[in-house]
Amino acid sequence: MAILPIVLFPEKILKQKCDKVTSFDKKLAKLLNNMYETMVEADGVGLAAPQVGVKKQVAVVEIEEGSAIELINPEVLEMEGEQTGVEGCLSFPSLYGEVSRPYRVKVRAQDRKGSFFEIEAEDFLARALQHEIDHLQGVLFTSKVSRYISEEELERFGEE
Ligand SMILES: [Zn+2]
């Protein structure tokens, strides 16, 4: 595996709609492995392929160690409720803001072998999934921030 360089805003690829994956081959498996390793190394809870310079609908999310979810060609099927919380993004170092999103989502995606699966998530996992799925459509969290948060404020959040 390898750690990949993370693409930072304002690189153009971050605002582009990614292409659907059609071949579930060794190259895809390698990309997923490298993305996972890169996300862990960067201390992130999610990473989308455009953030490592690949314009494909591929993302990984892991909000707790050992619970990694690989998403290929994901779509949100249902959403419900609302939550507001602080988000950051590996492509925007040291930038944090409050974002409102649906509280619960149902997502359909493919795994690395191409099999379809559905996942229902709420709260923080639902937020993380939506953040990464947005990346694959070229949508960045900064377009949804209602209020930016300073690092000092963020530390206070962490203490709560
Ligand atoms: Zn992000």
Side-chain angles (χ1 to χ4, degrees):
M1 291 203 272
I3 308 283
L4 306 170
I6 294 177
V7 170
L8 301 179
F9 183 80
E11 287 280 337
K12 227 170 68 188
I13 193 170
L14 294 174
K15 297 206 102 177
Q16 291 174 346
K17 199 173 172 215
C18 294
D19 303 320
K20 278 209 167 186
V21 172
T22 51
S23 27
F24 296 82
D25 53 10
K26 274 193 186 156
K27 213 177 139 192
L28 175 67
K30 191 176 165 196
L31 172 67
L32 283 160
N33 294 343
N34 289 341
M35 281 174 61
Y36 179 75
E37 202 181 20
T38 303
M39 175 187 73
V40 169
E41 170 76 15
D43 211 14
V45 295
L47 187 69
Q51 294 182 279
V52 292
V54 177
K55 207 172 133 247
K56 286 204 171 136
Q57 293 186 22
V58 176
V60 288
V61 169
E62 186 183 59
I63 64 163
E64 261 174 60
E65 213 182 315
S67 69
I69 302 166
E70 296 179 344
L71 301 157
I72 326 275
N73 304 330
E75 348 165 31
V76 177
L77 300 178
E78 288 170 24
M79 44 176 101
E80 197 180 89
E82 196 186 289
Q83 58 171 319
T84 302
V86 178
E87 283 184 31
C89 179
L90 294 176
S91 295
F92 294 83
S94 308
L95 191 69
Y96 302 93
E98 278 184 342
V99 178
S100 293
R101 295 189 183 273
Y103 181 75
R104 196 187 73 86
V105 286
K106 187 182 198 177
V107 171
R108 179 171 54 206
Q110 283 166 279
D111 67 15
R112 58 168 68 198
K113 292 191 169 147
S115 302
F116 284 92
F117 66 96
E118 285 183 7
I119 176 169
E120 285 188 53
E122 53 183 44
D123 209 343
F124 187 65
L125 179 58
R127 170 179 297 284
L129 290 170
Q130 293 174 79
H131 179 114
E132 299 314 324
I133 293 170
D134 274 356
H135 268 298
L136 305 181
Q137 302 300 321
V139 175
L140 300 171
F141 87 113
T142 46
S143 70
K144 299 186 171 178
V145 166
S146 52
R147 185 172 76 92
Y148 285 99
I149 310 266
S150 69
E151 286 200 60
E152 269 184 354
E153 265 182 286
L154 189 72
E155 275 170 34
R156 285 205 298 274
F157 272 105
E159 284 161 13
E160 271 170 16

